[in-house]
């Protein structure tokens, strides 16, 4: 059963399988963004139950992170490119980092432009900053909702600039789900260029048990197909154009030095 009704049915009936107690994350470091509450915090708790020795919570406001276990809490403001670049340099300085889970995001139901970048905040936080982080780390998390939206913005010559216009915002959750489609398009583009590196239980299952699922979309602990649009010829064309738009936007950020493969 697909679509929104299928999603609601699975939300009510699907129970994530817990990791076997024999699963060990010893000698690993895990980094989770947006991890001071909600699914990010639950994923952190799941990691610590499997002998993980080093956990980094990346949060916008470290004072709001109060886990019941010993961790490092690093600041990361996804509306601030200086904060993102500083965070990336700090991660690169780690002796090792086994898993990175990019969970941070927002759901803004009314149009709001970021005071720091000028871009619409759903797009800035959920897509642009989430697209930049893997480039800095050379190592995402999206949503089934990417298959539900009409994506009216796709014919425009500059999708990101068009989405900064308040008149394009759309009703209810439409903009949020559009940013999740942008995540899918970006990651599919990234996976064809960069080197192949690799509730809360689903997140942990993704990073622990699906290391070979490069470029794949996972839902409910299984590899599934993304939306029909993503797999269509039109989707492939929009993906290539959108990759160029996002890369060009990031090149204009003075603090960012993009990898050479971002052509």
């Amino acid at each position: 059963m697909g679509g929104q009704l299928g999603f609601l049915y699975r939300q009510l009936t699907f129970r994530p399988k817990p990791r076997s107690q024999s699963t060990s994350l010893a000698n690993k470091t895990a980094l989770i963004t947006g991890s001071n509450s909600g699914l990010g915090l639950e994923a952190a708790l799941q990691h610590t139950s499997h002998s993980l020795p080093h956990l980094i919570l990346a949060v916008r406001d470290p004072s709001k992170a109060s886990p019941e276990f010993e961790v490092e809490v690093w600041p990361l403001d996804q509306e601030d490119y200086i904060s993102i670049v500083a965070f990336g340099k700090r991660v690169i300085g780690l002796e090792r980092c086994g898993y990175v889970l990019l969970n941070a995001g927002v759901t803004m139901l009314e149009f709001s432009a970021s005071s720091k970048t000028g871009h619409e905040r759903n797009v800035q936080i959920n897509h642009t900053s989430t697209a930049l982080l893997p480039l800095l780390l050379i190592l995402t998390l999206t949503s089934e909702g990417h298959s539900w939206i009409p994506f009216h913005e796709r014919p425009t010559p500059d999708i990101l600039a068009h989405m900064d216009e308040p008149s394009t915002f759309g009703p209810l959750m439409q903009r949020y789900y559009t940013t999740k489609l942008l995540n899918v398009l970006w990651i599919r583009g990234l996976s064809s260029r960069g080197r192949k590196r690799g509730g809360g239980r689903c997140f942990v299952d993704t990073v622990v048990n699906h290391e070979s699922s490069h470029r794949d979309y996972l839902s409910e602990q299984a590899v599934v197909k993304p939306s029909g649009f993503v797999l269509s010829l039109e989707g492939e064309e929009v993906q290539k154009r959108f990759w160029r738009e996002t890369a060009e936007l990031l090149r204009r950020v003075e603090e960012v030095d993009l990898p050479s493969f971002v052509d």
Side-chain angles (χ1 to χ4, degrees):
M1 184 187 300
Q4 297 186 42
L5 289 178
F7 172 77
L8 292 174
Y9 173 78
R10 292 190 298 277
Q11 288 290 296
L12 294 173
T13 60
F14 177 76
R15 294 293 180 268
K17 300 175 183 177
R19 299 279 20 93
S20 168
Q21 288 304 310
S22 63
T23 300
S24 175
L25 301 179
N27 300 317
K28 298 287 188 180
T29 294
L31 187 155
I32 306 174
T33 68
S35 45
N36 61 318
S37 63
L39 289 175
L41 180 57
E42 178 60 27
L45 291 167
Q46 290 290 327
H47 272 81
T48 60
S49 68
H50 294 285
S51 304
L52 182 79
H54 191 191
L55 175 64
I56 300 170
L57 306 184
V59 300
R60 182 171 184 172
D61 185 355
S63 67
K64 294 182 179 179
S66 55
E68 299 176 355
F69 42 87
E70 185 177 354
V71 296
E72 290 187 54
V73 180
W74 293 5
L76 173 62
D77 183 351
Q78 293 200 189
E79 287 189 74
D80 185 344
Y81 288 125
I82 294 177
S83 174
I84 295 170
V85 172
F87 177 81
K89 291 179 178 178
R90 192 173 181 183
V91 174
I92 292 172
L94 289 170
E95 181 178 348
R96 62 178 181 270
C97 188
Y99 305 110
V100 175
L101 178 57
L102 303 181
N103 166 72
V106 296
T107 308
M108 308 293 296
L109 299 184
E110 294 183 359
F111 184 91
S112 175
S114 169
S115 62
K116 297 179 180 178
T117 68
H119 299 297
E120 195 276 317
R121 291 185 70 206
N122 284 286
V123 175
Q124 176 63 53
I125 296 171
N126 296 350
H127 168 63
T128 309
S129 294
T130 300
L132 175 58
L133 275 169
L135 296 181
L136 298 177
L137 307 180
I138 308 298
L139 293 172
T140 186
L141 182 68
T142 186
S143 165
E144 184 176 343
H146 82 273
S147 63
W148 303 340
I149 46 87
F151 197 28
H152 296 307
E153 299 87 353
R154 66 182 183 272
T156 59
D158 190 329
I159 293 171
L160 291 174
H162 187 62
M163 294 177 74
D164 282 339
E165 299 174 8
S167 61
T168 69
F169 192 76
L172 301 175
M173 299 278 284
Q174 182 173 309
R175 174 54 56 90
Y176 172 78
Y177 290 135
T178 300
T179 64
K180 297 307 175 182
L181 174 58
L182 300 184
N183 290 161
V184 173
L185 295 175
W186 175 260
I187 286 298
R188 288 174 69 85
L190 176 60
S191 66
S192 67
R193 290 168 168 81
R195 289 174 287 177
K196 298 185 178 180
R197 302 181 181 177
R201 287 178 177 173
C202 290
F203 287 176
V204 177
D205 177 80
T206 297
V207 296
V208 174
N209 292 332
H210 295 278
E211 292 187 8
S212 63
S213 300
H214 183 66
R215 201 171 186 254
D216 288 332
Y217 174 70
L218 287 95
S219 178
E220 293 150 0
Q221 299 178 313
V223 175
V224 298
K225 290 183 178 181
S227 72
F229 168 75
V230 170
L231 299 176
S232 68
L233 292 177
E234 182 188 11
E236 183 178 358
E237 186 279 326
V238 171
Q239 173 188 310
K240 293 177 180 177
R241 179 160 52 88
F242 181 67
W243 170 274
R244 293 192 295 269
E245 289 181 15
T246 301
E248 181 57 35
L249 185 155
L250 295 176
R251 284 193 195 95
R252 295 197 295 268
V253 180
E254 294 182 2
E255 298 81 6
V256 175
D257 183 17
L258 296 181
S260 59
F261 65 78
V262 184
D263 48 17

